[in-house]
Structure formats: structure tokens, C-alpha cells
């Protein structure tokens, strides 16, 4: 069964006697909501470096990928010192390399991390993936790969090699051992007992510290974290069932430690018990022999007897009742034992804590304050509330430029960027009642106004080959489009538009800036184009337009999809995703073949968020925000994509800028007046350049009434008929 993040807190562990050979410190089956593990794990995993939000969980599996950069860490229950009672740390996890193989050089993707004066730069027991057999020196060309382990960093160790070639799309159990006072590291693949075949990096750590940039990167160190790393060379990896313990039997073999699922942090008003909080337990020997015990870090607020278990078998509950009249917080711990090994979880209980409602991410432009942002507070006990504020980027937004107004539970904030500054800042707001504090954060993106970056009418009349947009020109003006992939000259220009088809394969890209817009630049990018479909896309559809890192790059953001999912028969919908390969949200209207629509996307470089409009008249028009994981990236180009599933469409009038007004202009419609008398309807309008169209339904299809001029009359012989004005 699935479990999440089992953490044994050292402060609570003293409540029980735990033998040194049986201590599972942490376990995680990554049972989080799909998306960023840092965002969705409630503090269990933290970002160490790289692009925030780009280390992902999908279907309860951790994805480690060479194309992304975020490295993550989990802080263990305590620091394990070089001279402590624990001699070694063991880890295990299931491992699967998908079709993305590591390179010949490879790189490491998992390790333990040191603390004290080493910061988080002392990496130990580093597990590498490579298609090179480190022991034999030969590079495998048959699609196999190898794992090996390295004690420390740099070229100071040679690495023990797992000499058995491993295959893609097969699941292996990887087990490591790290001897804390020597740094010697060992690696097993699929072991049943500790004596099974293994490899060890036998080159000892240097006992004298080598200093790099003021940080000692070698020598024995205290261990405090387990980490995963994303970097060039490692391939596409899937990680699951992570365990960290102090004995082999904690993480592998016949009698592993029992499991217990986590409980998230809880809030309850004073004098009010929590609900019955559900959790599950399990063990390789069955649940009948498992026993539960409990502890409270603040027994005055929560006496141990006020922690009451319920349920039976694998499915248990706990109800926590605070002492009468008290407020504060306590860490509640639950321990499960099989008689030999012990596992535990802990969660924070706040009693009488105030709350602060979440605030959406905000955007503005340089030298322009935000509008008034509503901040809603509450406190069941009616305590006096204090609101504090902070900015992660005081150069962009000094804390004093966060102006809070209002009183009581209803406050407002106005954020004013510093003069001529652009970029990104995380805004933190905390509310305190004298007993507890709760906080929220949101991102402020401050964009420069750079005007129109690309205007593409697709009015080409000369072509290098066939009607290919790649290599096309209009007089002396060459197409800005470069070939990205697929068959050259296979994306055509027809009738003054770009034809995108599911039967062809060429993808193109056009530069929108001389240098990339960095992920932290704060630039807002708007893309607008018209699209007319002549064939419906497939059910699941696919994406046909997106922002990208370079013309030939592979980092795509703001993917715009067409598909028939959720649409009525014969109709389709447009959707969008931040990074995913399927639309995470669709615009909530069915679209029809032969009708021209204006599609607008906004990409926020500060957050990676994408917003979609169809036929908007203003930025406040109906829109949808992509809901999949965000991953901000540098952007320099806009891409057109052809693939199975997109149907057939004509794209025209592509505009890309840094403000909504750069890409969408709206003229108030010409009034169409209708009068009715004696069974006859008369239609009048003021601009003779408009044609009158009619349709049997409001959604069309519309046809032009030949020769119709203002003062057009019609009888009402049909039950309903619709008219509109159209400018050719």
C-alpha cells in the first residue's frame, strides 16, 4: 500500500526506547498531488538549487530528468555525526530508467548531504547513472546502462561500479550504505540480505579538508539530508519507495520496518478536538502484530492521554483534544512497532491559530503599483491579530513598499515596485494572535513594457520549396521562421495563413527577442493569433503552438491544444498547459469548423503560469489558467507544431508583445438594430462596409446574405433565426 513521508523526530524519540539496529528515519512513496514535489509535499521536500518547481511527481512516482534542474532535499530527523552512536546510514529506493538513457559521462542523481560548516555542499554516497561501465571502461551501445557509487566529490574517488548491465523500463531496488566516520559507500542492486553481491568505492576520503569557495567539500562530515539531483547526463529516471535507516533491515531484506502514512498539519479552535484523522499502517509480516504508541512535545497543551486512537487493522484514526482554555502548538508523534523495528510520523497541531486566506499571484508593470489586494484574516477566539510582511527581492519591492490598510479581519495591500525595477519577488504575509502564527506567500511579477515583439501576417508570395513557411519570403522580406524538427518545408502557407495539419510533421520556431528573456526577468509575453479549423482534432488532441527556449530548443511553455474531449459531437475545444503534454484546462466553450477565433495566451516568466482567452475584448474577459505544474524557463522564440491529433487549421495574424494591448485591439461593434411590425423584421446598421450574415443557431454556421443592405427586411416564418454583422 502507499505511504508518505515517515519521519522520526529526535525530540520525541526519547519517549520510546529504540535500539540502534532498528531505526527507520524516513520513508516516502511520493503519494503527492501531481506536479511540483516542493509545492505539494507540505515542506517534506525542499528546493536546494535549480529552477523552482521543476522537480515533479506524477502518478505517485518522483521524476528525475536530465532536461530539468531543480535539486531537492529532505532533512532527516536528526543530524548523524561522525562520532555518534549510529555507525552507518542505509538508503533504498526503487529505480526505473525510461527511454531517456544517461550519457557516456553520466552524472549522479541521488546522495546524502552534510551539514555544520559544510552547508549543503558536502555530498556523500553519490549514486551515478551512465552508459559507461566504470569498472571496465567500455561504453555500452546496446541500450544498457550502469550504476555506480562515489564516496565524495570531484576526482578524489574512483567510484565502485555495478558491473551488471541494467535495462531501460525495468524496475530495480537500489540500496546504499554510507559509513559515517570514514565516508566509505556501498551499492547493491536487488539485494535480499546485506551479504549479497555489492560494490564499494574503496578510495578513502581525505582526512584533511579541501576548501573550495570557503566550503570544505571533502573529509568525513555529519549527515543531515537525503537528496535527489537533476542534471545533464542522467537520463529520464523514476524513483519510488524511498527509505532511510540505520540498518540494512530498516530499508531492505525480509524484515523491514513497518509503514505508517502521514497526517498533514492540523488547526483546531481552542476547546475543540480535531476530527478523527485517518492514517494507515502496514508491515511485511501483516498488521496483526503491530502496536501503536504516541507522544506530545507540549503535554501541557496536549496531554498524551488526550491522543486517542481508533479504527482497526491497517486503517486507523487519531483524535487529539487540547487542554481546556489553552492555545498554542504541539508536535504530535505516532509510533508503530513490529516488536523489532519502529517507524513514526509527526504532525504539527496548532490550537486557536489565526488564519489568512490565500492570495493569487500578482502582476504589474514597472513604475506601476498593483491594485488593491484583499487580505482576509480570521480567528475563532477573537484575539488581537498582528499582520507582518516580507519581500524576497527587496531591490524590486522594498518591504516598506508593501502598504497594508484596513483593520480587523479585512485588510488590503498595495505593492509598489521600486523605480525602474522589473523582476520577481515572493511576498510573504504572516498573521499572529500571540499564541500561533500562520503564513501565506504569493509571487509578484513586475514586467517591462517592451511593445510588439513579432508581427506575422503570413503574407508570403515566394517559397524555397513548395509552399513551405520555412524559406518563404515576401519581396525582400524573409520569413523569420526556422526549422525545428520534422520534414523540411512541410509546414505550408496557404491563402495568407500558416496551415497546421495532423498529416504533416514539420515544426518551426521564430525568434521574438535577440537574447532570451530569463526566467526571473518578470517579462509577460502575450501571443495572439486567429485560427480557423477545417477538420476537427482528435479526441485527446495535441498542442500546435507554444513558447520555447530557442528556435531549435526543446523547452516548451504555454502549450496550446486542440481536441474534441468534452465538446459536443462535431465540435472541439481549445486548451492550454504550462508544461504538460495534455491540456490541463480547456476554454469552456465548444468551437465549430469554419469559424475564425482569436486565441490569446499570456506567459508569466516569473511564475511559469499561462492564461488562455478565446475572442477576448479585454484582459478581464473570460479566461482560464493552466493548472498543471509550473516551471519558469528562459524564452526566446515562438513555435508552431504539427502532429497527429491537431486536425487541420489556418493560423493568421500572429502578434507577440509584452502587454495585452500589444496583441489585441478591439473596436466597439457596429450596432445592429432590429424593428418588428406586422410580422416583418427590419434590420438597420450604420456602416455599409459590413455585410449581414444569418444562421439557424447563435453558434453558427453563418452565411452572408448576398446583396443585403441596411433596411433589410425578413418575415418571421421560422421559429428562430440569428443575424450578425461581418467585416470581410
Amino acid at each position: 500500500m502507499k505511504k508518505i513521508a515517515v519521519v522520526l523526530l529526535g525530540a520525541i524519540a526519547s519517549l520510546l526506547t529504540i535500539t540502534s539496529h532498528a531505526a527507520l528515519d524516513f520513508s516516502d512513496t511520493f503519494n503527492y498531488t501531481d506536479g511540483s514535489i516542493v509545492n505539494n509535499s507540505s515542506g517534506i521536500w525542499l528546493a536546494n538549487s535549480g529552477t523552482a518547481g521543476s522537480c515533479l511527481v506524477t502518478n505517485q512516482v518522483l521524476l528525475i530528468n536530465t532536461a530539468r534542474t531543480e535539486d531537492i532535499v529532505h532533512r532527516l530527523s536528526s543530524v548523524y555525526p561522525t562520532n555518534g552512536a549510529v555507525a552507518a546510514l542505509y538508503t533504498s529506493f526503487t529505480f526505473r530508467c525510461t527511454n531517456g538513457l544517461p550519457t557516456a559521462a553520466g552524472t549522479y542523481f541521488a546522495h546524502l548531504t552534510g551539514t555544520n560548516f559544510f552547508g549543503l555542499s558536502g555530498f556523500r554516497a553519490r549514486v551515478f547513472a551512465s552508459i559507461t561501465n566504470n569498472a571496465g571502461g567500455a561504453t555500452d551501445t546496446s541500450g544498457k546502462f550502469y550504476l555506480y557509487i562515489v564516496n565524495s566529490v570531484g576526482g578524489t574517488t574512483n567510484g565502485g561500479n555495478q558491473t551488471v548491465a541494467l535495462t531501460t523500463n525495468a524496475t530495480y531496488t537500489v540500496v546504499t550504505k554510507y559509513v559515517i566516520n570514514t565516508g566509505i559507500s556501498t551499492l547493491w542492486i536487488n539485494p535480499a540480505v546485506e551479504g549479497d553481491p555489492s560494490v564499494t568505492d574503496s578510495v578513502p576520503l581525505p582526512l584533511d579538508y579541501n576548501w573550495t569557495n570557503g566550503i570544505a567539500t571533502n573529509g568525513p562530515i555529519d549527515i543531515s539530508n537525503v537528496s535527489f539531483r537533476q542534471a545533464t547526463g542522467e537520463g529520464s529516471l523514476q524513483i519510488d519507495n524511498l527509505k532511510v535507516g540505520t540498518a540494512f533491515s530498516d530499508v531492505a531484506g525480509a524484515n523491514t520496518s513497518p509503514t505508517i502514512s502521514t497526517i498533514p498539519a492540523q488547526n483546531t479552535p481552542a476547546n475543540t478536538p480535531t476530527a478523527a484523522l485517518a492514517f494507515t499502517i502496514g508491515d511485511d509480516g501483516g498488521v496483526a502484530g503491530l502496536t501503536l504508541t504516541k507522544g506530545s512535545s507540549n503535554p501541557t497543551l496536549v496531554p498524551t492521554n488526550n491522543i486517542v486512537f481508533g479504527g482497526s487493522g491497517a486503517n486507523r484514526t487519531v483524535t487529539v483534544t487540547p487542554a481546556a482554555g489553552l492555545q498554542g502548538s504541539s508536535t504530535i508523534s505516532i509510533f508503530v512497532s513490529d516488536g523489532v523495528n519502529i517507524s513514526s510520523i509527526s504532525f504539527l497541531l496548532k490550537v486557536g491559530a489565526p488564519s489568512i486566506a490565500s492570495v493569487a499571484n500578482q502582476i504589474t508593470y514597472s513604475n506601476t503599483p498593483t491594485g488593491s489586494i484583499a487580505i482576509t484574516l480570521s480567528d475563532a477566539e477573537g484575539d488581537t491579530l498582528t499582520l507582518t510582511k516580507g519581500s524576497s527581492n527587496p531591490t524590486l519591492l522594498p518591504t516598506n513598499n508593501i502598504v497594508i490598510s484596513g483593520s480587523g479581519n479585512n485588510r488590503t495591500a498595495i505593492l509598489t515596485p521600486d523605480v525602474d525595477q522589473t523582476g520577481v519577488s515572493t511576498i510573504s504575509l504572516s498573521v499572529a494572535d500571540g499564541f500561533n502564527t500562520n503564513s501565506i506567500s504569493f509571487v509578484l511579477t513586475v514586467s517591462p513594457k517592451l511593445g510588439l515583439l513579432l508581427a506575422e501576417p503570413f503574407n508570403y508570395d515566394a517559397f524555397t520549396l513548395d509552399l513551405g513557411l520555412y524559406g518563404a519570403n515576401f519581396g525582400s522580406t524573409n520569413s523569420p521562421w526556422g526549422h525545428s524538427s520534422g520534414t523540411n518545408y512541410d509546414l505550408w502557407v496557404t491563402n495568407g495563413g500558416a496551415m497546421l495539419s495532423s498529416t504533416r510533421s514539420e515544426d518551426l520556431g521564430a525568434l521574438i527577442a535577440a537574447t532570451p528573456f530569463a526566467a526571473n526577468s518578470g517579462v509577460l509575453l502575450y501571443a495572439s493569433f486567429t485560427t480557423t479549423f477545417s477538420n476537427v482534432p482528435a479526441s485527446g488532441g495535441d498542442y500546435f503552438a507554444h513558447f520555447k527556449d530557442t528556435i531549435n530548443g526543446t523547452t516548451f511553455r504555454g502549450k496550446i491544444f486542440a481536441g474534441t474531449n468534452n465538446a459536443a459531437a462535431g465540435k472541439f475545444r481549445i486548451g492550454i498547459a504550462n508544461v504538460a503534454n495534455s491540456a490541463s484546462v480547456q476554454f469552456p466553450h465548444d468551437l465549430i469548423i469554419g469559424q475564425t477565433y482569436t486565441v490569446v495566451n499570456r506567459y508569466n516568466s516569473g511564475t511559469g503560469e499561462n492564461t488562455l482567452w478565446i475572442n477576448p475584448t479585454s484582459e478581464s474577459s473570460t479566461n482560464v489558467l493552466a493548472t498543471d505544474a509550473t516551471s519558469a524557463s528562459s524564452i526566446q522564440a515562438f513555435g508552431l507544431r504539427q502532429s497527429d491529433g491537431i486536425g487541420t487549421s489556418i493560423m493568421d495574424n500572429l502578434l507577440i508583445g509584452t502587454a495585452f494591448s500589444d496583441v489585441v485591439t478591439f473596436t466597439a461593434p457596429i450596432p445592429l438594430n432590429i424593428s418588428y411590425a406586422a410580422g416583418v423584421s427590419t434590420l438597420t446598421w450604420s456602416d455599409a462596409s459590413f455585410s449581414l450574415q444569418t444562421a439557424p443557431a447563435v453558434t453558427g454556421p453563418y452565411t452572408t446574405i448576398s446583396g443585403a443592405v441596411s433596411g433589410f427586411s425578413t418575415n418571421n416564418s421560422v421559429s428562430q433565426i440569428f443575424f450578425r454583422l461581418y467585416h470581410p
Side-chain angles (χ1 to χ4, degrees):
M1 66 182 67
K2 277 286 183 180
K3 58 190 178 303
I4 305 179
V6 177
V7 185
L8 178 61
L9 293 183
I12 306 300
S14 61
L15 297 172
L16 295 176
T17 301
I18 301 175
T19 57
S20 62
H21 68 277
L24 181 67
D25 185 291
F26 176 64
S27 69
D28 198 347
T29 55
F30 305 102
N31 189 12
Y32 309 115
T33 302
D34 286 359
S36 164
I37 187 172
V38 171
N39 294 339
N40 297 338
S41 66
S42 301
I44 293 171
W45 289 96
L46 303 176
N48 188 25
S49 62
T51 301
S54 66
C55 190
L56 307 179
V57 167
T58 299
N59 296 324
Q60 301 180 1
V61 172
L62 176 66
L63 306 181
I64 300 296
N65 193 284
T66 188
R68 297 190 290 267
T69 62
E70 185 177 40
D71 303 341
I72 59 172
V73 299
H74 166 77
R75 186 170 181 85
L76 299 174
S77 67
S78 64
V79 175
Y80 291 92
T82 57
N83 60 351
V86 174
L89 285 175
Y90 292 78
T91 72
S92 72
F93 52 85
T94 57
F95 168 89
R96 183 181 180 93
C97 178
T98 58
N99 293 327
L101 280 166
T103 62
T107 193
Y108 62 100
F109 62 90
H111 58 88
L112 299 172
T113 305
T115 58
N116 58 48
F117 59 88
F118 300 95
L120 286 179
S121 296
F123 297 172
R124 299 295 184 266
R126 298 185 302 156
V127 181
F128 282 70
S130 170
I131 60 171
T132 300
N133 184 325
N134 193 55
T139 298
D140 195 292
T141 59
S142 65
K144 307 286 187 180
F145 68 98
Y146 302 86
L147 297 183
Y148 60 98
I149 194 164
V150 171
N151 292 333
S152 185
V153 299
T156 59
T157 55
N158 294 327
N161 198 84
Q162 173 62 35
T163 56
V164 176
L166 307 178
T167 61
T168 58
N169 296 307
T171 300
Y172 302 93
T173 297
V174 177
V175 179
T176 71
K177 175 184 179 182
Y178 178 76
V179 180
I180 299 173
N181 68 345
T182 65
I184 299 300
S185 303
T186 300
L187 171 74
W188 293 262
I189 303 293
N190 294 336
V193 296
E194 192 164 1
D196 280 350
S198 64
V199 291
T200 297
D201 182 0
S202 59
V203 177
L205 296 178
L207 294 180
D208 57 321
Y209 299 116
N210 295 330
W211 292 84
T212 302
N213 298 325
I215 297 174
T217 55
N218 281 308
I221 65 172
D222 302 344
I223 299 297
S224 64
N225 293 265
V226 60
S227 306
F228 288 100
R229 176 177 182 260
Q230 297 186 117
T232 300
E234 66 192 3
S236 298
L237 313 178
Q238 298 178 354
I239 306 293
D240 204 354
N241 302 310
L242 171 67
K243 295 180 181 179
V244 181
T246 59
F248 185 90
S249 62
D250 293 333
V251 302
N255 182 24
T256 58
S257 297
T259 61
I260 179 171
S261 64
T262 57
I263 296 173
Q266 300 290 316
N267 290 280
T268 190
N271 304 308
T272 305
T274 67
L277 308 173
F279 63 97
T280 59
I281 56 176
D283 190 58
D284 48 22
V287 298
L290 298 179
T291 57
L292 294 174
T293 51
K294 56 202 176 182
S296 169
S297 67
N298 185 350
T300 301
L301 177 68
V302 181
T304 303
N305 289 340
N306 287 20
I307 304 171
V308 179
F309 295 124
S312 61
N315 300 305
R316 304 297 181 96
T317 64
V318 62
T319 302
V320 184
T321 302
L326 298 183
Q327 296 185 60
S329 63
S330 178
T331 297
I332 309 302
S333 292
I334 302 172
F335 304 88
V336 57
S337 172
D338 63 4
V340 177
N341 299 318
I342 297 173
S343 301
S344 74
I345 59 168
S346 296
F347 62 93
L348 181 65
L349 173 66
K350 293 182 179 181
V351 179
S355 67
I356 178 169
S358 61
V359 173
N361 292 335
Q362 302 291 311
I363 60 175
T364 190
Y365 287 94
S366 59
N367 301 311
T368 305
T370 65
S372 182
I373 304 166
I375 302 170
T376 303
L377 312 177
S378 64
D379 186 74
E381 294 74 27
D383 299 316
T384 300
L385 302 180
T386 302
L387 190 65
T388 56
K389 58 196 179 181
S391 169
S392 69
N393 185 349
T395 300
L396 173 70
L397 184 73
T399 302
N400 289 339
N401 287 23
I402 305 172
V403 178
I404 307 292
S405 302
S407 61
N409 291 341
N410 299 307
R411 314 287 179 97
T412 60
I414 295 177
L415 316 180
T416 303
D418 214 2
V419 177
D420 295 335
Q421 295 295 314
T422 60
V424 180
S425 180
T426 298
I427 312 305
S428 58
L429 298 175
S430 298
V431 59
D433 66 355
F435 303 97
N436 288 291
T437 301
N438 271 323
S439 302
I440 62 166
S441 64
F442 60 92
V443 176
L444 171 68
T445 300
V446 182
S447 175
K449 281 194 173 182
L450 304 177
L452 193 64
L453 304 175
L454 176 69
E456 173 57 280
F458 299 104
N459 292 330
Y460 299 105
D461 57 9
F463 307 92
T464 301
L465 182 67
D466 297 324
L467 297 173
L469 177 57
Y470 172 47
N473 62 74
F474 179 77
S476 60
T477 302
N478 295 323
S479 159
W481 298 93
H483 176 80
S484 298
S485 62
T487 302
N488 280 322
Y489 311 106
D490 199 25
L491 198 160
W492 289 358
V493 173
T494 180
N495 296 321
M499 175 181 281
L500 303 175
S501 173
S502 60
T503 63
R504 296 195 293 271
S505 65
E506 185 178 34
D507 301 342
L508 300 179
L511 291 179
I512 60 176
T515 57
F517 295 116
N520 61 354
S521 65
V523 171
L524 298 171
L525 292 173
Y526 292 80
S528 169
F529 56 85
T530 61
T531 183
T532 308
F533 277 75
S534 57
N535 289 312
V536 294
S539 176
D542 209 342
Y543 62 99
F544 60 92
H546 53 83
F547 288 105
K548 60 190 306 187
D549 49 349
T550 64
I551 287 180
N552 295 311
T554 57
T555 301
F556 300 163
R557 298 293 182 265
K559 299 176 182 178
I560 300 175
F561 292 78
T564 60
N565 278 350
N566 303 314
K571 300 181 180 181
F572 65 98
R573 292 193 174 191
I574 299 292
I576 195 166
N578 295 315
V579 298
N581 289 325
S582 59
S584 62
V585 67
Q586 293 177 313
F587 196 81
H589 293 296
D590 289 356
L591 309 181
I592 60 174
I593 297 300
Q595 179 68 47
T596 300
Y597 301 96
T598 298
V599 178
V600 181
N601 174 35
R602 179 182 68 206
Y603 172 75
N604 185 333
S605 69
T607 63
E609 294 173 306
N610 287 271
T611 306
L612 175 71
W613 292 260
I614 305 291
N615 289 343
T617 59
S618 70
E619 198 159 2
S620 61
S621 295
T622 300
N623 59 77
V624 291
L625 181 70
T627 58
D628 60 303
T630 58
S631 179
S633 170
S634 64
I635 297 294
Q636 192 181 15
F638 189 79
L640 306 181
R641 181 174 183 264
Q642 299 185 114
S643 71
D644 292 341
I646 67 169
T648 303
S649 65
I650 299 295
M651 176 186 289
D652 204 356
N653 302 314
L654 172 64
L655 300 171
I656 298 175
T658 57
F660 188 88
S661 59
D662 293 336
V663 301
V664 178
T665 57
F666 178 71
T667 303
I670 302 299
L672 178 61
N673 302 306
I674 303 177
S675 60
Y676 176 78
V680 175
S681 296
T682 301
L683 292 84
T684 59
W685 59 98
S686 59
D687 190 335
S689 66
F690 282 81
S691 299
L692 185 66
Q693 293 187 329
T694 185
V698 69
T699 55
Y702 284 86
T703 58
T704 300
I705 303 174
S706 178
V709 295
S710 181
F712 177 82
S713 297
T714 180
N715 63 35
N716 295 329
S717 59
V718 295
S719 60
Q720 63 178 17
I721 189 168
F722 297 85
F723 295 91
R724 73 178 186 184
L725 293 176
Y726 172 73
H727 200 291

